[in-house]
């Protein structure tokens, strides 16, 4: 449909108003300020109107009356279909706690969103008071994660024909400082492992120390992935913790699928754990929670990722060791 428009006045200035049409063919009016004061500027305002009509007639997408925050609210409700549960959970938190509060205040139309609007938002997140929970600025790394979320949502908007291009692709994000992790020397590692003797998480902490497992990888290990004959351990799946409890997922990347040689110390620990589980199952009988998982509590229940992290950091914080990370 042909785009029409007219010039009108409001608060002493000229405005150009376009009659646009959405994807359903419904007419919607969109107002554009010309910033021209009344008195001798009507022809200039009409020239701006003609330029706007030419610009909008050249667009391939129909007019969308949604603001960016309205679009994002709709998008996050159905975005879980192709996003891993843990990632989706973080998306929901970032949208609710940071993105929506900011863009609801600014009310930027989805089709008007530009890289500078996103850069202004990222700059705001680095200021005091932007974080509603802590009032502290967000880190550059956290802002980059938020940028990835926004970029994904806008890529979907392009695919749906709501916008012509993804403004996030041209927006600059804050530069993140390179993370330098702490490492324990051999004597410190021995001290760390001694702290976890007889702890419910002794086995996963020891396996992480040997193989550098992520917490999701070590807790996702099953006996079917252990081959005592060939002396190998295979990382084939992970145990993640979501809002509704634990769930099984694939390893983080393709290279995370791997088979590792079984060290002598790992063999001894795994053999001992297998015997302990058999004894506990015989003693508890129907009260024992059967599974194929290696890292379990005395009743057979699986150790959750958050429990492992909490216990690890609590014990480390009470020692003189560096505050290393169990990721």
């Amino acid at each position: 449909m042909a785009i029409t428009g007219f010039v009108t006045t409001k608060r002493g200035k000229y405005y150009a108003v376009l009659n646009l049409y959405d994807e359903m063919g419904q007419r919607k009016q969109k107002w554009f300020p010309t910033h021209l004061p009344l008195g001798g500027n009507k022809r200039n305002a009409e020239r701006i109107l003609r330029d706007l009509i030419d610009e909008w007639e050249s667009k391939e997408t129909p007019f969308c009356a949604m603001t960016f925050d309205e679009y994002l609210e709709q998008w996050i409700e159905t975005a879980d279909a192709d996003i891993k549960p843990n990632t989706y959970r973080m998306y929901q938190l970032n949208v609710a706690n940071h993105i929506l509060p900011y863009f609801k205040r600014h009310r930027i139309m989805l089709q008007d969103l530009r890289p500078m609007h996103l850069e202004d938002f990222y700059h705001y997140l680095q200021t005091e008071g932007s974080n509603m929970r802590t009032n502290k600025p967000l880190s550059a790394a956290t802002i980059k994660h938020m940028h990835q979320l926004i970029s994904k949502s806008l890529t979907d908007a392009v695919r749906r024909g709501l916008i012509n291009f993804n403004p996030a692709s041209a927006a600059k994000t804050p530069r993140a400082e390179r993370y330098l992790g702490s490492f324990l020397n051999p004597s410190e590692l021995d001290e760390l492992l001694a702290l976890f003797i007889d702890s419910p998480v002794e086995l996963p902490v020891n396996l992480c120390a040997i193989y550098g497992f992520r917490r999701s990888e070590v807790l996702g290990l099953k006996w079917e992935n252990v081959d005592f004959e060939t002396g190998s351990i295979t990382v084939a799946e992970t145990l993640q913790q979501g809002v509704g409890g634990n769930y099984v997922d694939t390893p983080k990347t393709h290279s995370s699928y791997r088979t590792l040689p079984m060290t002598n110390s790992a063999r001894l620990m795994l053999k001992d754990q297998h015997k302990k589980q058999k004894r506990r199952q015989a003693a508890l009988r129907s009260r024992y929670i059967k599974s194929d998982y290696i890292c379990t509590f005395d009743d057979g229940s699986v150790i959750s990722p958050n429990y492992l992290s909490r216990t690890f950091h609590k014990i480390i914080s009470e020692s003189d060791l560096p505050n290393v990370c169990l990721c």
Side-chain angles (χ1 to χ4, degrees), residues 231-293:
S232 64
I233 301 174
T234 299
V235 177
E237 59 186 41
T238 62
L239 186 72
Q240 305 283 352
Q241 186 160 351
V243 177
N246 298 332
Y247 64 93
V248 177
D249 201 354
T250 56
K252 191 171 184 180
T253 64
H254 180 72
S255 60
S256 296
Y257 287 91
R258 58 199 188 278
T259 298
L260 304 166
M262 192 183 300
T263 66
N264 289 333
S265 58
R267 178 186 292 272
L268 291 173
M269 284 187 286
L270 290 170
K271 287 275 191 183
D272 183 56
Q273 176 70 349
H274 198 263
K275 291 177 182 177
K276 284 180 180 178
Q277 286 183 340
K278 290 293 185 184
R279 290 198 301 269
R280 292 164 187 158
Q281 184 175 345
L284 294 176
R285 297 184 181 180
S286 61
R287 289 175 295 154
Y288 187 83
I289 302 171
K290 294 182 181 180
S291 75
D292 196 43
Y293 284 102

Side-chain angles (χ1 to χ4, degrees), residues 21-291:
Y21 298 88
D22 63 18
E23 61 273 17
M24 302 301 294
Q26 297 295 316
R27 188 179 66 138
K28 307 285 184 179
Q29 286 189 337
K30 183 173 175 62
W31 287 54
F32 296 88
T34 67
H35 306 293
L36 298 174
L38 300 183
N41 279 315
K42 186 173 182 180
R43 287 188 177 182
N44 292 329
E46 290 173 342
R47 189 178 301 113
I48 291 174
L49 173 65
R50 288 195 297 272
D51 290 342
L52 285 169
I53 290 175
D54 290 341
E55 177 188 343
W56 278 85
E57 283 185 337
S58 68
K59 292 179 180 290
E60 297 178 0
T61 57
F63 174 63
C64 175
M66 278 193 295
T67 57
F68 175 54
D69 59 281
E70 290 170 341
Y71 166 74
L72 201 59
E73 281 185 301
Q74 290 185 13
W75 178 81
I76 197 65
E77 290 180 1
T78 58
D80 59 330
D82 59 345
I83 300 175
K84 289 190 174 184
N86 250 14
T87 303
Y88 181 65
R89 180 187 177 193
M90 292 307 300
Y91 277 16
Q92 287 179 305
L93 292 173
N94 282 331
V95 167
N97 295 337
H98 301 290
I99 306 176
L100 286 184
Y102 177 88
F103 283 99
K104 278 183 180 294
R105 292 196 302 270
H106 290 77
R107 304 295 292 174
I108 301 170
M109 301 300 292
L110 174 63
Q111 293 184 336
D112 291 341
L113 189 68
R114 295 294 181 264
M116 66 177 181
H117 296 133
L118 298 177
E119 291 172 5
D120 288 344
F121 171 55
Y122 302 148
H123 176 73
Y124 165 76
L125 294 177
Q126 291 183 295
T127 61
E128 294 287 342
S130 63
N131 190 330
M132 295 186 300
R133 187 170 57 86
T134 66
N135 286 326
K136 294 181 179 179
L138 295 184
S139 69
T142 299
I143 295 172
K144 283 185 180 291
H145 287 310
M146 222 167 299
H147 173 73
Q148 292 171 354
L149 181 168
I150 291 173
S151 182
K152 181 172 178 57
S153 73
L154 293 173
T155 296
D156 285 349
V158 173
R159 178 181 53 78
R160 291 172 56 189
L162 299 177
I163 55 178
N164 286 323
F165 76 103
N166 183 346
S169 62
K172 291 184 178 180
T173 57
R175 184 174 181 178
E177 294 294 328
R178 186 175 180 182
Y179 173 73
L180 298 175
S182 299
F183 295 92
L184 303 181
N185 60 41
S187 62
E188 288 174 329
L189 183 59
D190 289 339
E191 184 181 346
L192 180 144
L193 297 179
L195 294 173
F196 289 90
I197 292 175
D198 294 330
S199 165
V201 298
E202 179 181 7
L203 178 60
V205 169
N206 274 267
L207 291 176
C208 285
I210 294 171
Y211 293 106
F213 287 140
R214 297 183 179 94
R215 67 174 192 171
S216 59
E217 292 175 337
V218 71
L219 298 178
L221 288 175
K222 292 182 177 179
W223 290 113
E224 67 180 30
N225 306 130
V226 174
D227 192 327
F228 287 109
E229 291 186 8
T230 61
S232 64
I233 301 174
T234 299
V235 177
E237 59 186 41
T238 62
L239 186 72
Q240 305 283 352
Q241 186 160 351
V243 177
N246 298 332
Y247 64 93
V248 177
D249 201 354
T250 56
K252 191 171 184 180
T253 64
H254 180 72
S255 60
S256 296
Y257 287 91
R258 58 199 188 278
T259 298
L260 304 166
M262 192 183 300
T263 66
N264 289 333
S265 58
R267 178 186 292 272
L268 291 173
M269 284 187 286
L270 290 170
K271 287 275 191 183
D272 183 56
Q273 176 70 349
H274 198 263
K275 291 177 182 177
K276 284 180 180 178
Q277 286 183 340
K278 290 293 185 184
R279 290 198 301 269
R280 292 164 187 158
Q281 184 175 345
L284 294 176
R285 297 184 181 180
S286 61
R287 289 175 295 154
Y288 187 83
I289 302 171
K290 294 182 181 180
S291 75

